[in-house]
């Protein structure tokens, strides 16, 4: 398979990358034609079963060795003890699990009031309303307990991820070798499907909240490391020198100079940790973690769309609240008090928070409704919403549209496309991918593509990998068809740019899981629903980076175009789009990464791709297979990531934008 | 400590940036120029500098950006490790000093002011000023007391609880100055302290600085790229180019006898009359007639007298004792330019 590639440069001397790529495409086409004519030998169509190495079994052997012989399991189970204690503690405080310290649960009114005070402290009335409002909604809709189950894990996992991420970030900044070790691990971790985090967590840390907390923590660590290193590197040299001239020891430098000066980046890291934790904690429902995710899973499974929708709203509100508050914290700067301000005034917010907490707690002793919204007291409208949704779907034009999309798109476009991809012989497919990487990025990326896709071929999961890829590609193309025009349109005015960017920002904070809700609502449990959920998820970065790319085109250039007498369309095509392209490529890349992420979650709806198999492994303890599948997804994602990012970087350099 | 040991004494100091500077310096021939070194992939930040700074003296290091002046000062305080040569501070070799001794030295003897202030953004004025004291472990009460004292000294009373970002540039630099003075250092490094300020504030800060220096009388190394500032403040000026010191002398000598073409170019547009003092033009042992001039009077200050007077030799005194006499023509030449330059 690889012999063709090697032969060409060796035999005839020098070829440009582009010529090589063309040659590969021709060979691939030739193979496809042979396949259609029925004269391609079977061993060239798919890697024969006999020679597929049993990676899963090897990995199992390694895992078992690590787990049992090295005694790691004993160690992790020991850690489990401590973590379990912490989780029980927060579980008691948040929703009254009968464990030490046996004081909980906190009355919902008290929590809501404190959320409002924190919101007010960080960002004034708007955030106070958001914080308090979210909590009141959650309680009144009857989801207080499950929401607090989620929050109780979040309050343990997020600080843990913060602490670990910060320490690793500092280490990576201080010791170059740590940086060199961590970097490749981080890029794999960031493309690894989340199911791959879950199973090891279950095996090493038991089912339930503990495993959920571990998976969540690990999932949220990478951005914290990156932001910490970034922040520390950005501390101005004069501040560092001022610290040294003040006679700081190394420890003092870190504690008093570096970390406080990197505050902004570190807090941005905190924001990302919180958001990723929330996204993941919802997904840990798949390994039996109770909370909002589990409830949503159950409701969607039994097609109770009204209730699903309500839970979705709760998750979204929580996400937006946490995001806005942590972002407000990033930009909040210390203010001085006038001399002689009394102590109580300096700490007025803290005191107010305590006062409302104590006040509402006492009040709830008298009025039980303020402590807990009982069964039957909530305002959930699940059934009514169900009817509304059904009514909406039965409106003639809606029915026609979804029906048409389902019939036409699926039967005429998507399924033929999928079948075509599946019909391409494995070596031909790899050649096409390598040619793609070679022509737009370079030889290094092409070699990575070759190695990565060959590994996928050897994993024995080729067909499912192709179906995964098919979902990703079709969803991203469809997302581009909608997202790019929206972005281009919005970029025409400042007002619309801001509006659409705000929507994108907000949408990006939603845990991916909630994107399934509208998809199922509109299309039921079908292939189209899968594509649709990926599509809306992937559209967000596409639109966002299109706007950012177009808006950051230097003004002189658009003015020069205007003065050259370009029409709007001419300006767009020959000035703005070429200059915005590198930025848009970053958005495109992110859309692909998001799509890989979502396609795995969409397995819940029922697909035939790697996600489905991955989800199945969770039921057993098929650790080896779980890893093989996860790494297949990661390898495919990394191929695109390397190639597109390299292209964008080259292009930026060429245009002098970097 | 005896007065004749220089506070800072550096001999043949080299600072080279690049992949393996020590090895490069050892194998390098002595007469390599700045460009030749750069062609080899190295940057010579400081080239073979030997300079002494005496007690109570203000040495101004002057040069364009990239001339190595900041690098040299960072070698004095060992913010940079030198590549070759020796630097002694009060007789102590700092090149081979251990990290702990170095920290101790900085905590007790050195203060530094930075161009962009280098204030810690999360600390108030008072906390910034008290920072060096906190680092050396002084208790809260004494360090607060001392910090208040210095804040008052630089005229920032009433702003103790402000954060740096709430202050103007000039005020921020006052904080920087206060911080550098908090430990009562013997040696005071100032790295272009007023360059980031607008011209009016700069003048005000220079006056403030001179006032402080008259009170404190510290050994100072002051960096600037502004020749006027250098002339205004310096006891001695060292002019640097491409990492090497072109000339190091008193302002009068630099203006009157530039050592190289480069220095001459620098001094061309300077109003020499405002720089040169009577004392420099005085011929020792010669007796003049009439009233004596003070040695510290600049030519500019005596201009009116020079034009109206008719004496050939004007006596000059230092304090109360006569030291000699100054030829009126020499002073006039400086004021009006020498005769041959007129045509």
């Amino acid at each position: 398979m690889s012999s063709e590639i090697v032969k060409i440069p060796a035999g005839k001397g020098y070829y440009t990358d582009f010529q090589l790529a063309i040659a590969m495409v021709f060979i691939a086409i030739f193979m496809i034609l042979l396949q259609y004519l029925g004269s391609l030998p079977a061993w060239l169509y798919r890697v024969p079963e006999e020679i597929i190495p049993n990676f899963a079994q090897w990995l199992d052997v390694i895992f078992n060795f690590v787990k049992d012989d090295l005694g790691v399991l004993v160690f992790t189970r020991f850690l489990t003890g401590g973590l379990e204690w912490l989780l029980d503690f927060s579980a008691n405080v948040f929703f009254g699990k009968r464990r030490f310290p046996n004081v909980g649960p906190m009355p919902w009114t008290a929590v809501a009031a404190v959320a409002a005070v924190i919101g007010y402290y960080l960002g004034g009335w708007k955030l106070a309303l958001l914080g308090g409002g979210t909590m009141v909604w959650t309680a009144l809709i009857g989801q207080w307990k499950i929401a607090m189950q989620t929050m109780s894990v979040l309050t343990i996992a997020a600080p843990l991820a913060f602490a670990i991420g910060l320490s690793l970030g500092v280490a990576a900044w201080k010791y170059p070798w740590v940086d060199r070790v961590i970097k490749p691990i981080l890029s794999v971790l960031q493309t690894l499907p989340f199911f791959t985090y879950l199973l090891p967590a279950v095996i090493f840390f038991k089912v339930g909240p503990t495993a959920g907390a571990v998976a969540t923590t690990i999932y949220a660590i990478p951005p914290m490391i990156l932001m910490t290193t970034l922040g520390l590197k950005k501390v101005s040299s004069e501040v560092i020198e001022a610290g040294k001239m003040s006679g700081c020891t190394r420890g003092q430098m870190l504690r008093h100079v570096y970390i406080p000066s990197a505050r902004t980046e570190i807090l941005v890291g905190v924001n990302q940790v919180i958001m990723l934790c929330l996204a993941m904690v919802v997904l840990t429902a798949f390994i039996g973690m109770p909370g909002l995710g589990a409830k949503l899973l159950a409701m969607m499974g039994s097609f109770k769309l009204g209730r699903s929708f309500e839970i979705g709203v709760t998750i979204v509100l929580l996400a937006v609240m946490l995001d806005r508050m942590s972002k407000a914290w990033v930009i909040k700067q210390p203010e001085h008090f006038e001399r002689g301000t009394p102590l109580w005034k300096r700490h007025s917010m803290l005191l107010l928070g305590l006062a409302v907490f104590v006040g509402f707690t006492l009040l709830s002793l008298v009025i039980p409704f303020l402590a807990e919204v009982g069964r039957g007291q909530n305002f959930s409208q699940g059934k009514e919403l169900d009817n509304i949704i059904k009514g909406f779907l039965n409106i003639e034009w809606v029915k026609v549209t979804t029906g048409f999309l389902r019939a036409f798109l699926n039967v005429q476009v998507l399924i033929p496309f999928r079948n075509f991809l599946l019909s391409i012989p494995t070596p031909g497919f790899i050649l096409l991918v390598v040619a793609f990487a070679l022509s737009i990025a370079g030889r290094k990326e092409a070699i990575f593509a070759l190695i990565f896709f060959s590994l996928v071929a050897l994993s024995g999961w080729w067909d499912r990998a192709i179906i995964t890829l098919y979902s990703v590609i079709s969803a991203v193309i469809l997302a581009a068809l909608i997202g790019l025009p929206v972005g281009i349109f919005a970029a025409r005015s400042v007002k619309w740019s801001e509006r659409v960017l705000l929507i994108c920002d907000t949408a990006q904070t939603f845990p991916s899981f909630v994107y399934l809700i509208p998809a199922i609502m509109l299309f039921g449990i079908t292939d189209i629903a899968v594509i649709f959920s990926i599509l809306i998820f992937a559209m967000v970065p596409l639109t966002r980076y299109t706007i950012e790319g177009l808006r950051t085109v230097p003004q002189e250039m658009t003015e020069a175009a205007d003065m050259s007498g370009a029409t709007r369309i001419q300006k767009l095509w020959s000035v703005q789009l070429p200059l915005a392209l590198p930025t848009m490529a970053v958005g495109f890349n992110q859309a692909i990464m998001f799509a890989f992420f979502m396609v795995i979650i969409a397995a819940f709806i029922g697909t035939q791709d790697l996600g489905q198999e991955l989800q199945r492994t969770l039921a057993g303890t098929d650790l080896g297979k779980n890893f093989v599948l996860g790494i297949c997804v990661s390898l495919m994602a990394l191929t695109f990531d390397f190639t597109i990012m390299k292209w964008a970087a080259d292009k930026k350099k060429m245009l002098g934008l970097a | 400590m005896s007065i004749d040991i220089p506070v800072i004494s550096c001999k043949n100091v080299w600072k080279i940036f690049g992949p393996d500077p020590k090895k490069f310096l050892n194998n390098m021939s002595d007469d390599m120029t700045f460009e030749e070194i750069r062609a080899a992939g190295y940057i010579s930040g400081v080239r073979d500098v030997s300079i002494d700074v005496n007690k109570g003296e203000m040495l101004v290091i002057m040069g364009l950006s990239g001339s190595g002046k900041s690098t040299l000062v960072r070698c004095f305080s060992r913010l940079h490790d030198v590549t070759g040569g020796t630097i002694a501070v009060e007789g102590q070799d700092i090149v081979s000093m251990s990290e702990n001794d170095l920290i101790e030295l900085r905590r007790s003897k050195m203060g530094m002011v930075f161009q962009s202030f280098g204030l810690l953004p999360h600390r108030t004025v008072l906390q910034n000023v008290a920072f060096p004291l906190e680092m050396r472990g002084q208790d809260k009460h004494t360090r607060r007391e001392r910090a208040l004292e210095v804040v008052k000294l630089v005229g920032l009373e009433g702003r103790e609880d402000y954060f740096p970002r709430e202050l103007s540039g000039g005020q921020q630099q006052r904080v920087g100055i206060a911080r550098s003075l908090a430990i009562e250092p013997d040696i005071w490094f100032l790295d272009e302290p007023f360059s980031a300020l607008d011209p009016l504030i700069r003048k005000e800060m220079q006056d403030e600085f001179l006032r402080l220096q008259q009170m404190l009388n510290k050994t100072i190394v002051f960096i600037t790229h502004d020749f006027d500032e250098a002339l205004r403040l310096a006891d001695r000026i060292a002019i640097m180019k491409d990492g090497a010191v072109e000339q190091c002398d008193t302002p009068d000598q630099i203006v009157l006898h530039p050592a190289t073409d480069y220095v001459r170019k620098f001094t061309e547009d300077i109003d020499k009359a405002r720089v040169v003092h009577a004392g420099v033009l005085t011929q020792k042992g010669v007796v003049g007639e009439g009233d004596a001039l003070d040695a510290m009077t600049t030519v500019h200050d005596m201009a009116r007298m020079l034009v109206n007077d008719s004496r050939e030799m004007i006596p000059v005194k230092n304090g109360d004792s006569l030291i000699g006499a100054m030829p009126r023509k020499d002073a006039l030449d400086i004021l009006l330019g020498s005769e041959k330059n007129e045509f």
Side-chain angles (χ1 to χ4, degrees), chain A residues 457-479:
Chain A
L458 284 175
S459 74
W461 296 101
W462 181 261
D463 282 344
R464 282 183 186 268
I466 292 300
I467 295 176
T468 309
L469 208 53
Y470 138 79
S471 306
V472 168
I473 294 174
S474 21
V476 170
I477 290 175
L478 288 174

Side-chain angles (χ1 to χ4, degrees), chain B residues 30-296:
Chain B
D30 284 345
D31 52 352
M32 259 177 120
T33 63
F34 184 81
E35 274 72 29
E36 283 166 349
I37 295 175
R38 183 156 63 187
Y42 288 82
I43 297 289
S44 51
V46 173
R47 285 200 299 149
D48 200 19
V49 169
S50 302
I51 243 178
D52 285 353
V53 187
N54 299 315
K55 193 167 169 58
E57 176 185 42
M58 177 157 10
L59 174 72
V60 173
I61 302 178
M62 155 63 247
L64 301 179
S65 57
S67 60
K69 49 193 194 307
S70 290
T71 314
L72 181 61
V73 165
R74 279 163 176 71
C75 291
F76 289 166
S77 54
R78 226 187 94 181
L79 285 169
H80 288 334
D81 285 313
V82 300
T83 317
T86 57
I87 298 178
V89 171
E90 294 185 349
Q92 251 184 311
D93 175 25
I94 66 158
V95 173
S96 57
M97 195 176 249
S98 74
E99 189 176 324
N100 283 340
D101 290 343
L102 184 69
I103 287 175
E104 199 41 54
L105 180 76
R106 288 173 179 162
R107 284 179 179 181
S108 57
K109 293 231 160 81
M110 291 176 171
M112 186 156 174
V113 181
F114 299 90
Q115 180 175 1
S116 329
F117 325 133
L119 299 180
L120 297 167
H122 58 291
R123 287 172 163 251
T124 62
V125 168
L126 202 64
Q127 287 167 340
N128 258 297
V129 174
F131 186 65
L133 306 169
E134 186 182 334
M135 291 303 103
R136 69 180 184 192
Q138 232 154 329
D139 71 272
K140 216 170 175 173
H141 188 70
T142 29
R143 73 177 188 238
R144 186 185 154 80
E145 205 123 284
R146 171 67 188 154
L148 281 171
E149 203 175 297
V150 204
V151 167
K152 193 172 162 189
L153 186 71
V154 298
L156 277 180
E157 262 176 308
R159 313 253 158 169
E160 292 88 348
D161 293 330
Y162 281 54
F163 286 91
R165 124 196 103 72
E166 298 174 311
L167 300 174
S168 71
Q171 288 171 328
Q172 290 192 37
Q173 193 56 298
R174 284 168 195 264
V175 181
I177 289 173
R179 176 177 64 187
S180 70
L181 291 175
I183 59 151
E184 302 184 64
D186 298 329
I187 310 167
W188 202 12
F189 299 111
L190 298 105
D191 180 8
E192 304 210 24
F194 311 135
S195 299
L197 308 176
D198 55 57
L200 273 179
I201 308 283
R202 193 181 311 162
K203 177 81 176 29
E204 184 189 318
M205 292 293 285
Q206 285 168 357
D207 291 337
E208 179 82 15
F209 171 71
L210 284 172
R211 178 182 73 87
L212 281 173
Q213 170 58 2
Q214 254 157 24
M215 264 160 54
L216 304 168
N217 201 23
K218 301 204 176 292
T219 306
I220 294 175
V221 180
F222 189 108
I223 301 183
T224 181
H225 62 249
D226 176 355
F227 205 12
D228 290 320
E229 188 171 70
L231 293 171
R232 207 161 166 239
L233 304 174
D235 291 325
R236 273 193 308 154
I237 300 177
I239 296 182
M240 288 186 76
K241 184 195 171 210
D242 291 346
V245 172
E246 294 272 308
Q247 185 175 9
C248 178
D249 219 326
T250 59
D252 307 75
Q253 292 302 329
I254 285 188
V255 173
L256 288 174
H257 311 293
T260 64
D261 285 344
Y262 185 74
V263 179
R264 180 167 300 121
K265 255 197 179 149
F266 248 114
T267 57
E268 248 166 22
D269 295 331
I270 295 298
D271 182 3
K272 295 187 178 62
R274 287 181 188 272
V275 180
V276 178
H277 300 90
V280 182
L281 300 171
T282 305
Q283 293 171 2
K284 297 235 165 66
V286 182
V287 187
E289 45 196 301
D291 289 339
L293 267 173
D294 191 273
M296 291 310 288

